[in-house]
Amino acid sequence: MNASRLPLQPALGSLALSLLSLGWAPTVRAELPPWVYGQEQRQAPYVLELLVRSVHRMEAGTETEQVRVQAQVLMVTRQPPAARLRAGDTITVRYALPPSRPSGWVGPAPLPVLQAGERLPAWLAPDASLPGVLQPAAGGRSFGPSMEREREPG
């Protein structure tokens, strides 16, 4: 070990502790493990195959950007017993897009902006604030391939 570097180690440790105590801490985010999305998909009240008919992006001033999707139900895989969705019905899905992330940001999968003409599976839940409207139920994995088989390790 280089003896000339030893006196710097306590100073660097003190500097790190000072920065942390002043509220400076690097933000560390991580992608959620696949089993978390699998659990959210398994808990989704609605699992539907959709054909996206239209997509409208709405900005609400300083608030996050909202997306409103009109889609045709192609197939109903799961729904609550009292629900009466069937193939051919049109539904509205509404959700907020996360703010833009800096380059190199790692975090939970963002919700995609769907495109008119896309055909895809969707894991959805009722939007409590908007009767008759659905919202993503599995975060950024609410649309696309199933992760329902992913289980927590152990």
Side-chain angles (χ1 to χ4, degrees):
M1 185 170 261
N2 187 343
S4 65
R5 290 189 183 178
L6 288 177
L8 291 178
Q9 286 180 336
L12 290 175
S14 295
L15 176 63
L17 283 174
S18 297
L19 288 172
L20 288 172
S21 68
L22 291 173
W24 181 86
T27 302
V28 178
R29 308 270 176 169
E31 170 71 60
L32 295 174
W35 65 265
V36 172
Y37 295 113
Q39 180 177 353
E40 289 176 338
Q41 286 183 350
R42 286 189 301 278
Q43 293 173 348
Y46 292 90
V47 180
L48 309 170
E49 180 79 20
L50 301 178
L51 175 60
V52 177
R53 293 294 186 188
S54 66
V55 179
H56 301 281
R57 293 173 75 155
M58 304 165 287
E59 290 195 41
T62 59
E63 295 179 26
T64 58
E65 186 175 4
Q66 297 283 319
V67 176
R68 189 182 74 224
V69 175
Q70 295 290 315
Q72 180 182 352
V73 176
L74 300 175
M75 185 172 67
V76 177
T77 303
R78 179 170 64 227
Q79 67 179 322
R84 303 215 188 293
L85 277 180
R86 47 183 210 262
D89 288 350
T90 298
I91 63 166
T92 300
V93 180
R94 190 169 176 160
Y95 57 95
L97 292 176
S100 296
R101 296 175 176 167
S103 179
W105 173 273
V106 177
L111 284 160
V113 177
L114 302 179
Q115 303 296 315
E118 272 187 286
R119 179 184 174 145
L120 48 95
W123 286 262
L124 304 170
D127 185 330
S129 66
L130 297 167
V133 175
L134 299 174
Q135 64 184 357
R141 301 291 186 238
S142 294
F143 306 103
S146 175
M147 299 182 84
E148 288 194 41
R149 291 186 179 199
E150 297 289 339
R151 303 280 180 185
E152 184 174 6

